[in-house]
Amino acid sequence: MGEQLSTHVTVMPHPIKPLTYLSQNLWVPSGARGVFGGQILAQAIMAATSSTCSPLGLHSAHCYFLLPAQRDPQIEYRVEKLSDARSYSSRLVRAWQGDKEIFVLMASYALPPNPLPSDFGKKNDEGHSEDGPKHSLAFSVDPPSQTPTGSRKVLPKFELPFPADMLPPSDCEEDADFLERWIRERESKNKNVWEKKFFEEYIQERKSSPVSIARARRRPTQNDIATPAQVRMSWLRAKSVGPERPNEEIVKAMIAYMSDFQFIGTTARSIGLNQNSNPRLGMLASLDHVIHFYPFPHTFDPSAPFLHVMEAQAANLSSGRGIARGRIYTPDGHLIAVTGQEGVVRAGGQGGKRKGLIEGGMDEADVGKTDAKAKL
């Protein structure tokens, strides 16, 4: 079954210090400057969660990466209880490695959602006063005749819809399989595979990883429109969740871990910056990360893939930064999380070791044209 993702997100209580937790199984990706950011985020979430009580559950986490973390020594996650109110609690987590503070996280916890009446929305015009709302914010509420739909009906929820015409995860090629196929095809045509060892290391890393990554694709249609360069969609899946179903709070930490894969790389792609562009990708590094969770459906399966739709909002090489937003869906179309990330995006020269596979991934756009021009 392979290594369980839960072993990469759990933390151990410090034997002496209260509200302090220790890292486990830290992972430094091949070619990376330090420990995988998604792992630090997930472990900090688990440290914060360990200081809360059921039925409170994580609904949002905001973090900043201050310094790269190394595999040794262990990271100490020091938790501060900021508030414990009736419906919400908040925690601050500071991560220290040796004498350096490397990371900070704010996490907020909320009570489970209240079920709505079965007839909610069916009769919500009844008893409505024609005089409108009576409060200090009345000016911000459109009169009934000016509502976008021309109706007073209140919906129980709104969420951006699941992308149309998506192929199922089983029909999408995993990163490692794509790169192996690309290498075979080039070698069969007696073409050089540039820096083959670099790709072979990444392939092996993906095969041994507890997380599966596959580029999500749409079904071909009569009016097929290519996915814009600023959008990247990935199917992410924990290869093994263990013999017992993990509780929802561990699952949230696992989702946070996986949401960091190839996220900031979406901004580099929006300007054509990749492994094979000219200039080529010089550096990708996360500066912050945010994730907001919404209720999981009753049909939620933690072992199933989920779709991360990532959209670059801005990328600017003169400032060396880019920002992306994302949405995480279950395979049957339920939106369960909204994400965001800003990071360092820099171009490099033609020399030096290639970088950025774990942050940006690689696909046909990266290998189709040699030395394609990046948008500077």
Side-chain angles (χ1 to χ4, degrees), residues 3-10 24-25 27 39 42-43 210 257:
E3 193 173 10
Q4 296 175 24
L5 179 56
S6 59
T7 64
H8 289 255
V9 305
T10 52
Q24 296 189 88
N25 302 316
W27 171 51
Q39 184 175 30
Q43 291 191 351
Y257 179 105

Side-chain angles (χ1 to χ4, degrees), residues 30 264 316:
S30 175
I264 193 59
N316 188 306

Side-chain angles (χ1 to χ4, degrees), residues 95-111:
W96 289 76
Q97 192 168 46
D99 59 354
K100 295 180 179 179
E101 187 172 12
I102 61 168
F103 171 92
V104 63
L105 170 101
M106 282 280 294
S108 183
Y109 295 79
L111 291 174

Side-chain angles (χ1 to χ4, degrees), residues 54-294:
S54 180
L56 289 170
L58 179 71
H59 80 85
S60 70
H62 303 243
C63 73
Y64 284 91
F65 300 94
L66 307 180
L67 291 170
Q70 305 308 313
R71 187 176 284 109
D72 294 304
Q74 282 182 300
I75 297 172
E76 283 192 8
Y77 298 99
R78 303 172 186 176
V79 181
E80 297 178 30
K81 295 184 177 182
L82 298 184
S83 68
D84 285 305
R86 181 177 300 176
S87 300
Y88 289 87
S89 290
S90 57
R91 298 291 185 264
L92 173 66
V93 181
R94 298 180 183 274
W96 289 76
Q97 192 168 46
D99 59 354
K100 295 180 179 179
E101 187 172 12
I102 61 168
F103 171 92
V104 63
L105 170 101
M106 282 280 294
S108 183
Y109 295 79
L111 291 174
N114 293 317
L116 297 173
S118 58
D119 62 347
F120 181 86
K122 295 179 180 178
K123 299 181 179 180
N124 54 16
D125 279 341
E126 294 182 6
H128 190 282
S129 170
E130 292 297 328
D131 295 332
K134 302 295 185 183
H135 54 71
S136 61
L137 297 181
F139 64 86
S140 67
V141 181
D142 290 333
S145 61
Q146 298 179 18
T147 56
T149 61
S151 169
R152 297 180 191 168
K153 185 176 182 180
V154 176
L155 302 175
K157 71 173 186 177
F158 164 79
E159 60 186 39
L160 288 173
F162 188 81
D165 300 318
M166 297 302 297
L167 286 170
S170 57
D171 291 350
C172 297
E173 193 173 32
E174 294 195 12
D175 273 16
D177 295 336
F178 161 72
L179 283 173
E180 285 186 324
R181 175 173 60 81
W182 173 70
I183 290 173
R184 287 196 306 269
E185 290 175 355
R186 285 191 67 86
E187 291 181 334
S188 69
K189 299 175 182 177
N190 296 318
K191 293 183 178 180
N192 180 49
V193 177
W194 27 277
E195 298 192 28
K196 182 177 178 181
K197 183 179 178 182
F198 170 72
F199 296 111
E200 288 178 335
E201 288 177 357
Y202 180 71
I203 290 169
Q204 184 56 43
E205 197 168 64
R206 291 270 32 90
K207 288 186 174 182
S208 61
S209 170
V211 177
S212 165
I213 306 174
R215 185 184 175 196
R217 299 181 182 278
R218 297 180 186 272
R219 291 185 177 88
T221 61
Q222 186 174 3
N223 299 317
D224 194 26
I225 300 176
T227 301
Q230 71 270 20
V231 178
R232 184 173 179 82
M233 297 183 285
S234 294
W235 287 109
L236 302 170
R237 176 178 61 85
K239 294 179 181 177
S240 174
V241 296
E244 297 182 3
R245 181 187 177 99
N247 69 51
E248 190 167 297
E249 298 311 303
I250 292 178
V251 171
K252 289 175 183 176
M254 291 164 58
I255 291 173
Y257 179 105
M258 291 187 279
S259 72
D260 197 40
F261 280 110
Q262 303 180 2
F263 198 1
I264 193 59
T266 306
T267 64
R269 290 176 177 279
S270 70
I271 53 174
L273 192 64
N274 58 46
Q275 304 294 329
N276 202 32
S277 60
N278 181 18
R280 73 186 186 201
L281 180 63
M283 181 179 178
L284 284 174
S286 303
L287 292 172
D288 62 21
H289 197 115
V290 59
I291 185 164
H292 300 263
F293 288 100
Y294 279 79

